[in-house]
Amino acid sequence: MRIAVFAGSFDPITKGHVDIVRRAVPLFDKIIIAMGINSSKNYYFPTEKRIEFIKAAFAEYPTVEVDTYQQLTAFYCKEKGAHFLLRGLRNSTDFDYENTIAHLNATIGDNLETVFLVAAAEYSCYSSTVVREILKGGGNAGIFLPEAVVRLLG
Ligand code: ADP
């Protein structure tokens, strides 16, 4: 069974994340969207909300699951029997960061393979950071968010 883990903070999930997962659905038997819970990090949305948003966005995708984890990503993948990490690449900044992490994960994760999908042109400037800044400023971040999330935000 080909299992991939799509790890991140998803604070909150954007159309950019959703696009990567949808495009990866045909490549894997199962995709686990896994939120790393770091107790020293301050999140904008509480864990339960972020999970609710992801579940709503993927309600019609039976091979996509949502989970949380606290250990090293590579160890989490091993526990789940996942041999692949799924990542999105927006630009060269993403690449520089991801390149290092992919090597690290291959080393400590027993050849854990990182699979990159290049961000779709229309979403390459979307980020959770931008969404949070708009929401903090009282603006409408609707265009960046999956419709199911917009509905939940009311
Ligand atoms: P973190 O905060 O831990 O970096 P994110 O939730 O920001 O995690 O991102 C998780 C993954 O989603 C990363 O691989 C990131 O490159 C990818 N990603 C984020 N936004 C987009 C986007 N607009 N298009 C494609 N991939 C994206």
Side-chain angles (χ1 to χ4, degrees), residues 6-10 16-17 20 41 87-88 90 94 98 119 123 126:
F6 187 46
S9 315
F10 307 107
H17 295 123
I20 295 292
K41 209 165 155 181
R87 302 294 290 174
R90 284 165 291 189
D94 272 358
E98 296 291 345
Y123 302 134
Y126 284 29

Side-chain angles (χ1 to χ4, degrees), residues 14-133:
T14 70
K15 281 182 183 167
H17 295 123
V18 170
D19 185 60
I20 295 292
V21 174
R22 279 190 188 154
R23 286 162 54 201
V25 161
L27 306 178
F28 300 104
D29 299 305
K30 180 159 94 179
I31 299 175
I32 306 171
I33 303 180
M35 286 185 343
I37 307 293
N38 182 341
S39 52
S40 62
K41 209 165 155 181
N42 280 322
Y43 297 100
Y44 184 79
F45 287 103
T47 308
E48 299 69 36
K49 270 277 162 220
R50 285 180 285 141
I51 291 175
E52 191 187 351
F53 291 160
I54 298 171
K55 281 192 173 155
F58 290 98
E60 280 146 38
Y61 288 79
T63 60
V64 178
E65 293 180 4
V66 189
D67 194 15
T68 59
Y69 69 100
Q70 286 189 302
Q71 65 272 57
L72 278 177
T73 304
F75 294 169
Y76 173 74
C77 289
K78 191 163 196 176
E79 193 182 295
K80 291 287 165 180
H83 298 296
F84 304 95
L85 264 174
L86 174 64
R87 302 294 290 174
L89 282 181
R90 284 165 291 189
N91 48 44
S92 55
T93 308
D94 272 358
F95 175 78
D96 286 345
Y97 173 76
E98 296 291 345
N99 188 26
T100 310
I101 302 290
H103 284 295
L104 167 77
N105 282 321
T107 308
I108 60 172
D110 250 345
N111 294 324
L112 179 60
E113 196 69 74
T114 305
V115 175
F116 294 103
L117 294 187
V118 171
E122 62 264 49
Y123 302 134
S124 64
C125 292
Y126 284 29
S127 72
S128 300
T129 310
V130 165
V131 171
R132 290 195 301 273
E133 289 307 311

Side-chain angles (χ1 to χ4, degrees), residues 133-151:
E133 289 307 311
I134 294 172
L135 294 176
K136 279 181 204 163
N140 183 346
I143 60 157
F144 297 97
L145 300 169
E147 266 167 38
V149 174
V150 173
R151 278 196 293 275

